[in-house]
Amino acid sequence: MNHPLKLIAIALCLALPGWTMAADDNPDEDAAHVRHALMEVMGWNMKTVAAMSTGKAPFDQGRAEEHGKRLAALGGMIADAFARDTSGADLSRPTKALPAIWQNQADFEMKAAKLVEAANAYAAAAGESEAAARKAFIAVGGSCKGCHEDYKSE
């Protein structure tokens, strides 16, 4: 397992302590917990990328590449994490996932794929220069925003 994927696996394990017991063998709860953990880890990586890309943190080429690769790997998990329709489920904690995800699954999955593409491009650009990374970040942020506008409640 390469380094970024190993870190992602570790982060997800840390983000999910006891989630199977808490879900009480409820597949809807399981799905919601996995989605929440995935989005939390994505957000953690995105904050680092955004800070470096907007000048709020010093640009570090190695970290920028690493976080871009992580975002791409995590983005590749979105379709699987949202495969189970929980829009009508009675969940123990509210979810920000809108029913539109499952009503427009193909569009949702296409947007997730665009995020993966943008994150991979960001990682490659970060390997070139800070200016290239900043430019590529626009597509990453746009991918996140485009999906959140349609499929996430605030």
Side-chain angles (χ1 to χ4, degrees):
M1 185 182 285
N2 68 31
H3 186 65
L5 293 179
K6 195 179 294 184
L7 288 174
I8 290 167
I10 291 168
L12 285 172
C13 287
L14 292 173
L16 296 170
W19 71 275
T20 55
M21 290 190 310
D24 196 32
D25 295 323
N26 179 331
D28 291 333
E29 288 286 345
D30 289 350
H33 284 288
V34 168
R35 290 194 307 252
H36 181 76
L38 177 61
M39 292 297 126
E40 286 291 315
V41 176
M42 287 187 74
W44 173 70
N45 281 280
M46 186 62 174
K47 284 179 187 174
T48 300
V49 167
M52 285 190 282
S53 297
T54 59
K56 294 180 180 169
F59 183 77
D60 178 314
Q61 186 175 24
R63 287 184 67 219
E65 281 184 275
E66 183 77 15
H67 284 276
K69 289 176 185 177
R70 288 179 189 169
L71 284 170
L74 291 163
M77 297 177 196
I78 291 173
D80 286 340
F82 284 85
R84 184 174 185 86
D85 182 352
T86 59
S87 58
D90 183 25
L91 301 172
S92 62
R93 80 186 234 186
T95 178
K96 293 183 178 183
L98 292 174
I101 291 169
W102 299 282
Q103 295 163 354
N104 304 304
Q105 193 91 33
D107 181 63
F108 179 77
E109 290 177 5
M110 180 200 62
K111 288 181 178 189
K114 285 185 178 182
L115 169 63
V116 171
E117 185 179 303
N120 278 322
Y122 173 84
E128 295 172 19
S129 69
E130 180 177 359
R134 285 179 184 233
K135 185 176 178 182
F137 172 72
I138 294 167
V140 176
S143 291
C144 292
K145 181 180 179 186
C147 198
H148 287 190
E149 285 179 344
D150 294 337
Y151 300 114
K152 179 184 177 190
S153 68
E154 295 305 318

